[in-house]
């Protein structure tokens, strides 16, 4: 049996966490006496690790201020999650659960995650949505350089024991796409996330909803079958 690896981004792909992302970022900036970045600016950096994203949003701040803002964002985000519950603050997109469960039932398909979230954040999200046991490899920002460095995907492939030609990354941002390209794997973009579809022009396929995912995977893998 030929094993296939399917690796998912999280924010903007599996869950819609933009309300908490925007609120937490605004809180981090306000704590430093700064105006919050625009919605488009904040969503434009989702997927990057915080130590990369915040200096991009606050280019005039020194390292110490950016470090405080990183921690401020983490604290604010955790507070919002405690207040509402991760299932409410970061709801699954329509069809996400069904798509994951369907893929999980296929013995040759192995699922993973590659996310800019922290380990704590991912664990809380998986617990809240009852997704324990779905993802056989979980790559988080704590353990890797920021996307688009391919480190997360390379480690995921090692964990799953799959080849690059049998691996697909699924995400909503150009950072996910560029990470997939750097790792030598296929990329399926999703149209409902935080980057405009035009920024996903290099994707093998772009899907409009989760109902199209399995067909897109078959299309991608048919090109690599020999």
């Amino acid at each position: 049996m030929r094993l296939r690896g399917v690796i998912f981004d999280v924010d903007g792909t599996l869950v819609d966490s933009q309300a908490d992302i925007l609120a937490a970022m605004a809180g981090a900036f306000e704590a430093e006496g700064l105006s919050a970045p625009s919605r488009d600016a904040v969503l434009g950096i989702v997927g990057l690790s915080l130590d990369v994203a915040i200096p991009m949003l606050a280019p005039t701040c020194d390292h110490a201020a950016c470090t405080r803002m990183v921690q401020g964002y983490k604290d604010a985000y955790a507070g919002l999650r405690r207040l509402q519950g991760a299932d409410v603050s970061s709801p699954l997109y329509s069809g996400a659960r069904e798509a994951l469960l369907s893929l999980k039932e296929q013995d040759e398909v192995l699922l993973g995650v590659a996310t800019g979230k922290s380990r704590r954040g991912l664990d809380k999200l998986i617990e809240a949505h009852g997704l324990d046991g779905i993802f056989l490899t979980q790559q988080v920002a704590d353990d890797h350089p920021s996307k688009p460095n391919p480190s997360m995907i390379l480690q995921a492939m090692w964990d799953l024991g799959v080849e690059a030609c049998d691996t697909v990354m699924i995400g909503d941002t150009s950072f996910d796409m560029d990470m997939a390209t750097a790792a030598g794997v296929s990329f399926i973009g999703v149209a409902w996330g935080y980057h405009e579809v035009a920024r996903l022009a290099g994707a093998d396929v772009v899907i409009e909803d989760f109902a199209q995912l399995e067909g897109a995977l078959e299309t991608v893998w048919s090109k690599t079958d020999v």
Side-chain angles (χ1 to χ4, degrees), residues 19-169:
D20 283 0
I21 290 171
L22 293 168
M25 195 64 76
F29 271 70
E30 289 165 6
E32 290 293 316
L34 301 172
S35 298
S38 69
R39 175 183 180 276
D40 287 347
V42 174
L43 295 183
I45 55 80
V46 172
L48 297 176
S49 298
L50 286 170
D51 60 343
V52 174
I54 285 182
M56 291 176 64
L57 293 173
T60 62
C61 288
D62 60 21
H63 178 73
C66 286
T67 298
R68 291 193 298 271
M69 292 164 72
V70 167
Q71 190 58 50
Y73 175 93
K74 290 180 178 179
D75 293 343
Y77 196 98
L80 291 165
R81 185 176 60 223
R82 286 193 300 270
L83 182 65
Q84 303 180 79
D87 57 330
V88 174
S89 64
S90 297
L92 286 165
Y93 283 107
S94 176
R97 183 185 302 279
E98 293 80 5
L100 291 172
L101 293 177
S102 177
L103 290 171
K104 182 68 175 176
E105 291 176 355
Q106 301 176 34
D107 291 340
E108 74 278 12
V109 176
L110 308 176
L111 303 182
V113 161
T115 176
K117 281 187 172 299
S118 67
R119 167 57 59 190
R120 179 178 67 170
L122 181 61
D123 286 348
K124 292 291 186 182
L125 193 68
I126 287 174
E127 178 184 7
H129 286 296
L131 298 177
D132 297 281
I134 295 291
F135 304 110
L136 300 182
T137 181
Q138 300 172 11
Q139 307 306 319
V140 296
D142 308 58
D143 306 323
H144 297 277
S146 178
K147 299 175 183 179
N149 186 292
S151 176
M152 289 187 187
I153 294 180
L154 296 177
Q155 184 62 53
M157 288 193 295
W158 175 266
D159 290 350
L160 298 176
V162 295
E163 301 293 332
C165 62
D166 294 320
T167 302
V168 179
M169 176 72 200

